[in-house]
């Protein structure tokens, strides 16, 4: 990754039409020097994985407020396995602590709730990818 911008796909799966948080995170990551691809609203897991593969991203961020985080994350992980495409995933939204713990056990790299500072998200992405853009 040395010298290459981190490419992040921000996706908003399902029928939830609230995307302010996804847009704030997308803008914050862009301001931190990352290349961000935002898929827009109402993406299916299939569309998200396809976009991530086509865009050759380094990491995927899923914004989920609908309560469907467990099933959406499971499906995205299954599709990534099916296509032998493996990049880390982080999730943002209103996610109960027990579900967050379960998501981490499933292989999700981080779960962020509302109000998480962008600097914390940037730091976690860099940690997960093993890079430091401030060096």
């Amino acid at each position: 990754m040395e010298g290459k911008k981190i490419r992040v796909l921000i996706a908003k799966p399902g029928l939830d039409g609230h995307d302010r948080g996804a847009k704030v995170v997308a803008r914050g990551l862009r301001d931190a020097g990352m290349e961000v691809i935002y898929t827009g609203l109402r993406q299916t897991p299939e569309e998200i994985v396809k976009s991530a593969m086509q865009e050759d991203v380094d990491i995927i961020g899923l914004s989920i407020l609908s309560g469907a985080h467990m099933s959406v994350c499971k499906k995205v992980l299954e599709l990534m396995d099916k296509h032998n495409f493996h990049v880390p995933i982080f999730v943002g939204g209103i996610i109960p602590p027990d579900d967050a713990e379960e998501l981490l056990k499933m292989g999700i790299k981080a779960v962020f709730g509302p109000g998480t500072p962008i600097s914390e998200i940037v730091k976690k992405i860099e940690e997960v990818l093993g890079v430091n853009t401030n060096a």
Side-chain angles (χ1 to χ4, degrees):
M1 299 238 26
E2 196 66 34
K4 176 184 167 245
K5 277 189 173 186
I6 296 171
R7 290 177 60 87
V8 184
L9 183 84
I10 299 292
K12 186 77 186 154
L15 299 176
D16 180 0
H18 301 279
D19 66 346
R20 183 180 299 168
K23 289 179 177 175
V24 167
V25 170
R27 180 60 188 239
L29 297 179
R30 198 170 290 142
D31 290 348
M34 298 181 192
E35 191 171 336
V36 178
I37 299 99
Y38 176 53
T39 63
L41 293 170
R42 301 183 180 91
Q43 298 295 299
T44 66
E46 290 82 1
E47 291 169 328
I48 292 166
V49 172
K50 182 178 177 184
S51 294
M53 292 171 63
Q54 287 176 340
E55 295 290 345
D56 192 27
V57 297
D58 302 303
I59 191 165
I60 298 171
L62 300 174
S63 173
I64 308 171
L65 292 173
S66 66
H69 45 271
M70 300 303 289
S71 60
V72 167
C73 289
K74 182 179 178 194
K75 184 67 176 175
V76 169
L77 289 167
E78 286 172 357
L79 289 166
M80 288 173 57
D81 280 345
K82 178 181 173 184
H83 293 289
N84 198 26
F85 177 75
H86 299 97
V87 296
I89 298 174
F90 67 93
V91 178
I94 301 172
I95 297 174
D98 288 349
D99 286 356
E101 188 175 320
E102 194 61 35
L103 289 170
L104 296 172
K105 287 179 185 172
M106 288 170 48
I108 301 300
K109 294 301 180 187
V111 177
F112 301 107
T116 302
I118 295 296
S119 60
E120 186 177 323
I121 299 170
V122 168
K123 183 177 175 185
K124 185 64 177 182
I125 289 172
E126 291 175 344
E127 176 189 313
V128 166
L129 296 176
V131 297
N132 183 355
T133 56
N134 293 323

